[in-house]
C-alpha cells in the first residue's frame, strides 16, 4: 500500500483504533475514504479520536476551526461528514442531516466513493473554513 500524504496529530489513538470495532467491509471503506481525502488535499491533517470512533481532517488540529470533514464508521455504513456541509453547494443532493452546520454522505460501498460530485464536494469543503476568514 502506498504511503499517504497525511499528517496525523493529537487526538487519542490512531486511525486503526478509530475503525477497529467496525466490520471488515466498513474498515475497507474507511481506508478508501481516507485515501480519497489525501488525494484531494495532499498534506491533510488527521486527528484520530479512538474513544469517539471518529477521525477529523483539515488544515490543522483544531476541530471546529481547522477541520472541514470527518470519517465515522458504523456497522453498515461509513459517514463522510462535513463540518460546514449545510453551507456547501450540493448539486448532486448527496448531503444528509438537519443540523445548523454538519452534514454527511453515507458511504455503503466502494462505488459510493466514486459517485459524481463527491470529489468536488470534498474540494469545496476544504476551502470553506469560515472561522479562519
Amino acid at each position: 500500500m502506498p504511503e499517504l500524504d497525511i499528517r496525523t496529530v493529537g487526538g487519542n489513538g490512531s486511525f486503526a483504533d478509530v475503525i477497529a470495532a467496525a466490520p471488515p467491509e466498513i474498515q475497507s471503506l474507511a481506508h478508501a475514504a481516507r485515501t480519497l481525502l489525501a488525494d484531494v488535499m495532499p498534506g491533510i491533517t488527521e486527528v484520530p479520536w479512538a474513544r469517539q470512533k471518529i477521525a477529523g481532517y483539515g488544515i490543522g488540529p483544531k476541530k471546529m476551526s481547522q477541520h472541514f470533514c470527518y470519517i465515522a464508521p458504523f456497522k453498515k455504513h461509513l459517514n463522510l461528514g462535513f463540518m460546514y456541509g449545510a453551507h456547501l453547494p450540493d448539486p448532486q443532493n448527496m448531503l444528509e442531516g438537519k443540523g445548523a452546520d454538519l452534514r454527511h454522505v453515507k458511504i455503503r460501498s466502494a462505488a459510493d466513493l466514486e459517485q459524481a460530485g463527491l470529489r468536488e464536494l470534498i474540494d469545496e469543503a476544504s476551502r470553506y473554513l469560515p472561522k479562519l476568514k
Side-chain angles (χ1 to χ4, degrees):
M1 184 180 292
E3 183 81 19
L4 295 179
D5 191 0
I6 293 177
R7 183 176 76 104
T8 302
V9 298
N12 55 50
S14 66
F15 183 74
D17 297 329
V18 168
I19 64 171
E25 60 274 11
I26 301 302
Q27 289 184 28
S28 178
L29 289 175
H31 281 289
R34 186 176 185 242
T35 298
L36 175 61
L37 292 174
D39 187 49
V40 172
M41 188 179 183
I44 195 167
T45 296
E46 171 184 75
V47 181
W49 297 98
R51 286 191 296 268
Q52 295 88 340
K53 296 181 176 66
I54 194 167
Y57 297 88
I59 60 169
K62 296 178 182 174
K63 182 168 60 170
M64 292 307 289
S65 64
Q66 294 180 327
H67 288 189
F68 64 86
C69 70
Y70 62 90
I71 292 174
F74 293 88
K75 286 184 181 182
K76 296 187 178 192
H77 71 277
L78 178 80
N79 275 2
L80 180 57
F82 297 91
M83 306 308 271
Y84 299 98
H87 310 282
L88 298 175
D90 183 20
Q92 305 294 328
N93 295 313
M94 291 185 283
L95 293 170
E96 299 181 37
K98 298 189 186 303
D101 291 318
L102 295 174
R103 295 289 186 274
H104 64 275
V105 176
K106 280 193 175 94
I107 307 296
R108 294 181 176 93
S109 70
D112 289 342
L113 288 168
E114 297 172 12
Q115 62 187 316
L118 184 60
R119 181 177 287 272
E120 291 79 11
L121 188 61
I122 294 167
D123 183 58
E124 184 70 30
S126 75
R127 292 182 270 124
Y128 188 88
L129 291 166
K131 294 186 180 180
L132 295 181
K133 292 179 183 175

